[in-house]
Amino acid sequence: MDFKIAVLPGDGIGPEISKVGVDVMTAVCNKKGHSVSYTYAPVGASAIDECGDPFPETTFKICMDADAVLFSAIGDPKYDNNPTAKVRPEQGLLAMRKRLGLFANIRPVQIFPALIHKSPLKAEIIKDADFICIRELTGGMYFGEKYQDDDRAYDTNAYTREEIERILRVAFEYARRRRNHLTVVDKANVLASSRLWRKIAKEMEPQYPDVTTDYMFVDNAAMKMITEPSFFDVMVTENTFGDILTDEGSVISGSMGLLPSASTGEHTPVFEPIHGSWPQAKGLNIANPMAQVLSVAMLFEYFNLKEEGAIIRRAVDDALAAFVRTPEIQVEGHTAYGTKEIGEWLVNRINEL
């Protein structure tokens, strides 16, 4: 296959982990006989600094012309600490999702046996945890009507039937490919938007008789993710709830630096780690690149190249088992590896497999 990849390194640690992701993808393509070309484009704070726009038109066109986008992270303290800033890096991320029609965010929560001791939860609770959070990505409060003055503010959590049906369809299909269990997460006892979600989900249930569908309020789901994460197979929810729950889920594995994600929809899919830009670590060579690398695995799997994805997952597992780890997940008695060195190790391992 010939791949055209748009690479958006972004801010903070983004460029460092992006390089590792590109190197790993190149190694796998070389190994399996694929050709790949990369076009780089700015996004986030770096794009604001360059042209005043966190998602410039040139970046959008590069994304639209690509087969997939490999994205890293955005965010910078100079914007976080300025509540009056009119243009923010995060607006670039929202614009990318909206303009590319990326309505479905797929976030797997998985346990790495070599790192089970790093989870804040007991091993017996998390040992069988393996589920996917599917988050609606272009509706709800993040995109609804907003207002703010000195005394009053509101954000509108609006959803249409079409928006709800299409994300539920994605969730039902994922459940079919896994263990045939779907949990719809809402707040239907309080929110009108959630009641519409539940109504439509119940209407769609008969179309998927092989899938066991249950419903859970978001507060209960948050608790159950901690007390019994193995209960879940596929979880689907709206934008704001999904943002919070998926970050909670990332902690189960022991590090946010381990979990990838995919955003899919109407146009070019985007593959990215779930963590942020961690600007304090910029240039220190300590950022964990594994989530970025596993995002490349998800990219291959999206194009039904399962062997390529499996090679990357095997290399990551081998690295963790061999204590090739960044400081936040390294164990006492072993020297921590840097971002660059982990990338080199992974490429060498891929070439050996």
Side-chain angles (χ1 to χ4, degrees):
M1 181 171 177
D2 296 336
F3 283 106
K4 292 170 61 178
I5 305 298
V7 182
L8 279 56
D11 309 320
I13 61 172
E16 297 168 70
I17 61 171
S18 177
K19 184 180 186 310
V20 176
V22 166
D23 289 347
V24 164
M25 183 164 188
T26 301
V28 174
C29 284
N30 290 341
K31 185 179 187 70
K32 301 298 288 185
H34 305 295
S35 66
V36 59
S37 62
Y38 305 100
T39 304
Y40 288 76
V43 69
S46 59
I48 296 174
D49 292 343
E50 186 174 314
C51 65
D53 185 342
F55 189 59
E57 189 67 21
T58 52
T59 297
F60 170 64
K61 291 179 179 178
I62 287 170
C63 292
M64 287 291 288
D65 191 46
D67 297 308
V69 177
L70 188 61
F71 169 64
S72 298
I74 59 170
D76 190 283
K78 66 183 176 183
Y79 298 98
D80 297 339
N81 298 329
N82 181 9
T84 64
K86 300 299 183 184
V87 181
R88 297 179 177 276
E90 292 75 18
Q91 292 170 343
L93 184 57
L94 296 180
M96 178 167 63
R97 291 169 178 170
K98 198 70 172 178
R99 297 193 69 186
L100 294 179
L102 303 174
F103 64 84
N105 183 231
I106 318 300
R107 291 191 175 187
V109 176
Q110 64 184 107
I111 302 303
F112 298 86
L115 292 174
I116 199 166
H117 64 287
K118 282 291 184 178
S119 174
L121 303 180
K122 294 179 180 179
E124 58 265 30
I125 292 177
I126 66 165
K127 61 183 178 66
D128 296 321
D130 174 18
F131 62 97
I132 291 179
C133 296
I134 297 183
R135 167 191 171 192
E136 199 289 323
L137 206 56
T138 57
M141 282 195 291
Y142 291 5
F143 291 93
E145 182 183 350
K146 303 177 186 298
Y147 174 81
Q148 178 184 356
D149 60 29
D150 289 339
D151 302 302
R152 182 171 177 262
Y154 62 79
D155 300 275
T156 307
N157 195 50
Y159 272 103
T160 65
R161 172 175 286 272
E162 179 185 7
E163 289 173 323
I164 297 168
E165 284 182 346
R166 67 183 183 180
I167 191 67
L168 287 173
R169 197 170 296 115
V170 170
F172 275 115
E173 292 296 336
Y174 262 91
R176 272 185 165 171
R177 296 198 294 268
R178 288 173 53 89
R179 300 191 299 275
N180 295 291
H181 176 203
L182 176 64
T183 303
V184 180
V185 176
D186 59 32
K187 193 64 176 171
N189 58 334
V190 175
L191 300 177
S193 57
S194 282
R195 287 191 286 275
L196 181 60
W197 270 74
R198 187 169 292 210
K199 178 180 186 294
I200 293 172
K202 285 187 173 294
E203 290 174 358
M204 294 177 67
E205 265 191 71
Q207 302 173 33
Y208 301 89
D210 51 328
V211 176
T212 299
T213 306
D214 50 41
Y215 301 83
M216 195 174 293
F217 296 147
V218 63
D219 41 357
N220 187 23
M223 291 185 287
K224 203 167 188 68
M225 283 176 65
I226 298 302
T227 59
E228 192 185 352
S230 60
F231 169 83
F232 297 104
D233 177 21
V234 177
M235 171 195 299
V236 62
T237 192
E238 58 99 64
N239 203 345
T240 305
F241 295 160
D243 190 6
I244 297 166
L245 289 176
T246 51
D247 280 358
E248 179 189 4
S250 73
V251 177
I252 293 174
S253 69
S255 172
M256 288 186 72
L258 292 169
L259 298 186
S261 76
S263 297
T264 65
E266 299 170 3
H267 301 297
T268 313
V270 175
F271 301 88
E272 61 180 291
I274 70 161
H275 59 69
S277 62
W278 196 15
Q280 299 84 355
K282 179 181 178 180
L284 300 182
N285 196 38
I286 60 172
N288 190 343
M290 293 305 194
Q292 181 81 86
V293 170
L294 290 168
S295 296
V296 177
M298 291 187 74
L299 187 159
F300 280 119
E301 291 158 357
Y302 175 86
F303 291 100
N304 204 32
L305 297 172
K306 297 180 181 179
E307 289 185 12
E308 286 80 347
I311 288 171
I312 293 175
R313 295 184 186 280
R314 169 71 184 278
V316 169
D317 287 342
D318 290 349
L320 296 175
F323 300 100
V324 180
R325 312 176 186 182
T326 42
E328 91 284 2
I329 56 172
Q330 190 54 285
V331 298
E332 188 175 351
H334 293 271
T335 302
Y337 280 65
T339 312
K340 178 183 176 181
E341 289 69 32
I342 287 180
E344 293 170 349
W345 195 98
L346 289 170
V347 168
N348 289 335
R349 184 60 182 144
I350 289 167
N351 291 334
E352 293 171 353
L353 292 173

